[in-house]
Amino acid sequence: MSILSMTKTLFKSIVHGPYTQLYPIKPRENFERTRGSIENDIEACIFCGLCVRRCPTSALKIEKAEKLWSIERMQCIQCGYCVEVCPKKCLHMRNEYTTPNTIKVKDEYVDARVSDN
Amino acid sequence: MGKRTVIPFGPQHPVLPEPIHLDLVLEDEKVVEAIPQIGYIHRGLEKLVEKRDFKQYTYVAERICGICSFMHGMGYCMAVEGIMEIEVPERGKFLRTIWAEVSRIHSHLLWLGLTADAFGFESLFMHSWRLREEVLDLFEQTTGGRVIFSVCDIGGVRKDIDAEMLNTMVSVLTRMEKELRDLTDVFLNDMSVKHRTVGVGVLSKEKAQETGAVGPMARASGISVDMRTLGYAAYKHLQFEPITAEAGDSYARMEVRIGEVYQAIELIRQCVELIPEGDVITKIKGNPNGEHFIRLEQPRGEVIYYVKANGTSFLDRFRVRTPTFANVPALLETLKDCDLADVPILILTIDPCISCTER
Ligand code: SF4
Ligand code: SF4
């Protein structure tokens, strides 16, 4: 039984200084595997709709005619299932998060290339 | 008999991370009875199996709880694998075991912090969570997420951990273990901590049996019950004994959980030594048809999963019985005859996870 058992830890932290980081002055480095946000390399996308069908939160939509692929950022749970099923491997999980927001953000990707035929 | 007063406790209370309501019947300062009420955060996750197919549901199952997320995902996957008779590759099983044990460390450190917070020892709380942060970093490095991992899949795991990272994990945990000794020394030996925990909320072995307590709650009352001894995943290859204590009070429950943190570090070491090379996932074909029942040991105790499938991609029924749900009767038992001031600590010593309980 002791009343001073915490002293060692306390002295150590006084010597060590703060364990926390002065965010945002010193931003946090993400790890390589960090599941941050989904990117689409839209030029490679064939608008097959597989990702849309598999997404557990219905965050994705495509308009095949307009060559439009969109993602509801606040709805996406970064599970990575869409990345796994995409046949063209054009989806990619970045290790950067999207900026925090107070409104629902929808990102649209349009394939602007003119088709050959 | 003194005058009886009823004090409502919760659903919002500084000590409760999640909402549960108790009507405390008091005689002077003593609690004579507690009547619980849940239902504040029911999300209908079991019903959702009808709307999400069985593969999508893997990601939903994980989100039943923010602390045992890995084990919820793993339990669901194991149940579906049981129906489809899929054999998970050995490496996959070892990786599951590693992540499950890291989850246990993370959960118990979280609990230690919350308990310190409940008896007002703020610096102890901060230091427990500081160490937990390192564990969360290990998770982020290996899975990509801090508390929700999305790595467990039907048939195995979706990500491998290379040998270098496995060694890093062991060295981080070994370094952490040293710091943890200083910290757990405070929990186990400090006078002010002992004052709040020793002899408080005693649950006898008989009462623990009778109320069906599970996990650390049962083990602290001298019942040696641990589902890991069933040998699921890679546990059959590992050497360990369930950690028990005899006293059955809040101190014993703390002792058991602290012991389990060290045990988990040791189990991870064993896994890293024994892990074989090879695939981490088996490809699955078709839809499940049949039913399966499975039991796992979560940080909070035994959890039960039941899955019934009908051959389509949507399941018929999915049922989870979480450890907190099983421990609520035991909690009510410990609350009898306790002081009003001890109620917050007693509620915390079952390590309540209300979101799990209500699903
Ligand atoms: S699965 Fe891939 S190719 Fe198909 S629509 Fe989605 S992003 Fe495009
Ligand atoms: S990461 Fe998951 S939730 Fe997000 S868009 Fe892809 S499938 Fe949907």
Side-chain angles (χ1 to χ4, degrees):
Chain A
M1 188 94 88
S2 124
I3 51 167
L4 295 171
S5 47
M6 191 67 186
T7 335
K8 196 173 159 195
T9 312
L10 292 184
F11 273 121
K12 253 195 217 161
S13 6
I14 291 171
V15 178
H16 185 281
Y19 286 95
T20 44
Q21 249 177 26
L22 212 57
Y23 187 84
I25 297 168
K26 190 164 177 263
R28 179 175 189 268
E29 295 237 343
N30 290 333
F31 298 106
E32 196 192 318
R33 282 196 180 172
T34 303
R35 301 196 318 273
S37 52
I38 297 284
E39 282 283 283
N40 192 353
D41 173 13
I42 195 71
E43 309 235 313
C45 176
I46 52 169
F47 303 93
C48 65
L50 215 56
C51 53
V52 178
R53 248 182 297 145
R54 294 293 169 81
C55 174
T57 60
S58 320
L60 304 176
K61 293 230 157 37
I62 50 165
E63 297 287 342
K64 201 163 180 172
E66 284 129 57
K67 298 203 162 185
L68 174 91
W69 182 95
S70 67
I71 175 167
E72 290 278 356
R73 290 289 179 198
M74 306 276 161
Q75 221 160 306
C76 169
I77 54 174
Q78 277 88 21
C79 63
Y81 195 23
C82 51
V83 179
E84 210 165 274
V85 297
C86 174
K88 299 301 280 183
K89 295 285 163 242
C90 58
L91 290 178
H92 162 70
M93 179 73 77
R94 276 198 320 152
N95 70 346
E96 299 282 325
Y97 299 102
T98 46
T99 341
N101 221 321
T102 48
I103 47 158
K104 289 195 173 175
V105 184
K106 184 172 174 181
D107 276 346
E108 296 185 336
Y109 292 74
V110 190
D111 184 1
R113 289 174 309 165
V114 184
S115 55
D116 306 340
N117 44 15
Chain B
M1 198 175 92
K3 190 167 165 269
R4 291 200 166 185
T5 325
V6 179
I7 295 193
F9 184 95
Q12 304 301 334
H13 188 279
V15 79
L16 292 173
E18 291 176 286
I20 180 169
H21 175 83
L22 290 169
D23 275 323
L24 302 172
V25 182
L26 300 184
E27 249 172 44
D28 298 332
E29 284 275 305
K30 290 268 180 225
V31 178
V32 283
E33 201 189 350
I35 303 150
Q37 186 186 335
I38 57 172
Y40 297 95
I41 32 170
H42 175 67
R43 291 160 292 162
L45 291 183
E46 287 182 351
K47 179 83 176 159
L48 203 60
V49 288
E50 294 166 19
K51 292 276 188 297
R52 298 283 176 262
D53 71 34
F54 75 100
K55 285 185 193 158
Q56 290 176 332
Y57 199 80
T58 320
Y59 307 106
V60 181
E62 279 200 316
R63 285 164 171 82
I64 292 174
C65 173
I67 310 292
C68 318
S69 51
F70 184 77
M71 292 188 215
H72 276 302
M74 171 165 143
Y76 169 76
C77 290
M78 281 168 67
V80 178
E81 284 155 10
I83 299 175
M84 299 174 86
E85 292 174 358
I86 299 163
E87 189 52 41
V88 177
E90 278 298 301
R91 191 177 174 86
K93 285 186 185 168
F94 270 90
L95 288 175
R96 280 183 180 182
T97 313
I98 292 174
W99 276 315
E101 287 307 313
V102 183
S103 295
R104 199 176 308 278
I105 304 176
H106 138 54
S107 170
H108 284 346
L109 284 176
L110 173 113
W111 179 81
L112 284 171
L114 288 177
T115 312
D117 187 42
F119 49 63
F121 205 151
E122 292 299 323
S123 54
L124 194 55
F125 157 56
M126 291 291 176
H127 279 286
S128 308
W129 279 38
R130 170 174 69 78
L131 290 180
R132 172 175 170 258
E133 203 59 33
E134 296 193 28
V135 179
L136 295 185
D137 276 350
L138 285 183
F139 266 129
E140 193 172 343
Q141 269 169 332
T142 52
T143 69
R146 282 159 53 86
V147 288
I148 300 285
F149 312 121
S150 302
V151 280
C152 210
D153 202 351
I154 299 162
V157 292
R158 294 163 82 201
K159 284 178 184 155
D160 199 353
I161 312 182
D162 59 19
E164 193 189 340
M165 188 59 216
L166 284 174
N167 291 331
T168 318
M169 274 175 113
V170 173
S171 61
V172 168
L173 290 174
T174 310
R175 181 172 47 75
M176 219 181 82
E177 199 179 357
K178 283 204 200 82
E179 286 191 61
L180 206 58
R181 293 262 172 224
D182 290 342
L183 213 64
T184 51
D185 178 50
V186 183
F187 278 104
L188 296 175
N189 298 321
D190 193 83
M191 195 178 76
S192 52
V193 177
K194 275 186 148 177
H195 187 65
R196 294 302 306 272
T197 51
V198 176
V200 177
V202 179
L203 182 71
S204 65
K205 192 171 180 174
E206 294 71 42
K207 279 288 174 199
Q209 293 272 20
E210 213 174 276
T211 50
V214 294
M217 191 81 181
R219 290 197 284 278
S221 298
I223 304 172
S224 174
V225 46
D226 190 331
M227 289 310 125
R228 288 179 289 173
T229 50
L230 295 176
Y232 63 87
Y235 288 108
K236 54 182 169 296
H237 304 295
L238 308 178
Q239 304 291 329
F240 69 100
E241 287 289 319
I243 290 175
T244 55
E246 294 301 322
D249 57 359
S250 300
Y251 182 80
R253 295 195 267 281
M254 199 155 75
E255 222 179 346
V256 167
R257 291 200 177 95
I258 288 173
E260 284 180 10
V261 176
Y262 295 120
Q263 185 188 47
I265 297 179
E266 181 48 39
L267 287 177
I268 294 167
R269 266 194 215 115
Q270 289 187 25
C271 281
V272 171
E273 256 167 47
L274 294 174
I275 190 166
E277 289 298 320
D279 282 345
V280 292
I281 192 161
T282 321
K283 275 235 171 310
I284 54 164
K285 279 193 211 84
N287 294 325
N289 194 357
E291 51 185 343
H292 203 81
F293 174 87
I294 209 145
R295 308 196 287 173
L296 304 185
E297 185 74 19
Q298 277 186 348
R300 289 165 181 75
E302 176 192 343
V303 60
I304 296 173
Y305 298 92
Y306 168 76
V307 173
K308 184 161 179 250
N310 53 10
T312 66
S313 59
F314 294 93
L315 300 176
D316 264 351
R317 182 83 171 93
F318 170 59
R319 167 97 174 95
V320 201
R321 201 290 323 266
T322 59
T324 304
F325 192 66
N327 276 334
V328 168
L331 165 70
L332 300 181
E333 197 54 49
T334 59
L335 282 176
K336 274 182 200 154
D337 279 335
C338 80
D339 283 329
L340 178 61
D342 285 332
V343 172
I345 297 222
L346 288 179
I347 293 179
L348 269 183
T349 54
I350 72 160
D351 200 355
C353 182
I354 312 298
S355 299
C356 270
T357 309
E358 300 190 14
R359 306 175 297 283

